[in-house]
Amino acid sequence: TEFSEYVKQNVFDLLGMEKSSFRQPPPDMEDSVSKGYTYNYQQGEFEEEGFEYIPLRSPGSMSATATDMARFMKAHLNGGVLDGTRILSQDTTEGMHEARFRNHERLNGVGYGFYEGSRGDTRIVLHGGDTIFFHSIMALFPDEDVGVFVSYNTSGSSQQRQDLFDEFT
C-alpha cells in the first residue's frame, strides 16, 4: 500500500479528516487548498502561485485544512481517541510525545514525528513545516489540554508565524 493511501485509511478516514491528503496535488480538494503567494516588490502586490509540489515525500507533502488539523490535535490530546474512535493506544500516544533523542538532558529533544518545546515550565509538543510558500506550526500543550495550529501561505512569512506562536505561548 502506498503511504498516502495507508494514512488516508488508518488516520484521516478514522478521524473524519476529509480534507487532508499526502497526494500531490490532493484529489478533489481544489476548493479547500489554499494557494501560495509571493510578493512582487516591483509591482507592489502579491502574486498567486500554483500548487507547490514537495520533492521530499511523504514527510513534507501533507495538505490539510485547519479544521482537520484540529481533529488530529484533539485525538493526540485525548490519548489517541476522537469521538470514540481509537487510532493510537494511550501508551503509543504518550510515547510519541516523549523525546527519543536529545543533545543534553537539559535541552528539548526530538521524538517520533514531534519535537519537544518549552516556554518556562510549559511543556510543548510540536511540529513545524516550511516550504517556499507555506510556513506552519502545530503545537500541543498536553498539560493544559490545548492545541494550536497556524499556517501562513506567503513566502517569507516564517517570522510572522513565529511571532504569533511566541505571543500565544
Side-chain angles (χ1 to χ4, degrees):
T1 302
E2 184 179 325
F3 176 81
S4 62
E5 186 59 30
Y6 179 87
V7 173
K8 180 185 180 317
Q9 291 174 5
N10 293 282
V11 179
F12 298 156
D13 288 350
L14 295 176
L15 293 180
M17 296 173 66
E18 298 174 0
K19 298 291 185 177
S20 298
S21 180
F22 277 98
R23 296 184 64 197
Q24 297 187 74
D28 304 321
M29 290 174 47
E30 295 82 17
D31 61 330
S32 301
V33 177
S34 175
K35 307 284 191 263
Y37 294 87
T38 55
Y39 189 75
N40 182 324
Y41 288 95
Q42 292 177 339
Q43 300 291 325
E45 60 188 30
F46 290 95
E47 294 179 351
E48 183 180 303
E49 302 292 341
F51 181 82
E52 184 176 7
Y53 287 87
I54 308 301
L56 182 59
R57 294 180 44 203
S58 292
S61 65
M62 182 178 162
S63 295
T65 63
T67 303
D68 278 5
M69 290 305 299
R71 295 187 64 75
F72 182 80
M73 290 186 294
K74 284 181 176 181
H76 268 274
L77 291 169
N78 198 32
V81 176
L82 180 66
D83 299 334
T85 300
R86 178 167 292 285
I87 63 161
L88 297 168
S89 72
Q90 179 78 30
D91 288 344
T92 298
T93 304
E94 289 173 5
M96 289 179 72
H97 298 176
E98 294 174 6
R100 299 299 173 174
F101 172 80
R102 64 180 80 240
N103 285 314
H104 188 275
E105 64 188 38
R106 295 175 59 193
L107 298 176
N108 292 320
V110 179
Y112 294 135
F114 293 106
Y115 304 98
E116 281 185 323
S118 59
R119 293 291 194 280
D121 291 337
T122 302
R123 181 173 166 258
I124 308 167
V125 177
L126 59 104
H127 190 95
D130 293 289
T131 65
I132 294 170
F133 306 129
F134 291 87
H135 303 280
S136 307
I137 191 165
M138 182 206 70
L140 304 172
F141 300 79
D143 299 335
E144 287 79 20
D145 196 30
V146 170
V148 64
F149 171 77
V150 65
S151 185
Y152 285 84
N153 65 347
T154 305
S155 63
S157 58
S158 60
Q159 186 60 52
Q160 288 82 1
R161 176 208 51 205
Q162 190 61 47
D163 291 347
L164 185 141
F165 180 73
D166 290 343
E167 287 299 317
F168 179 85
T169 55

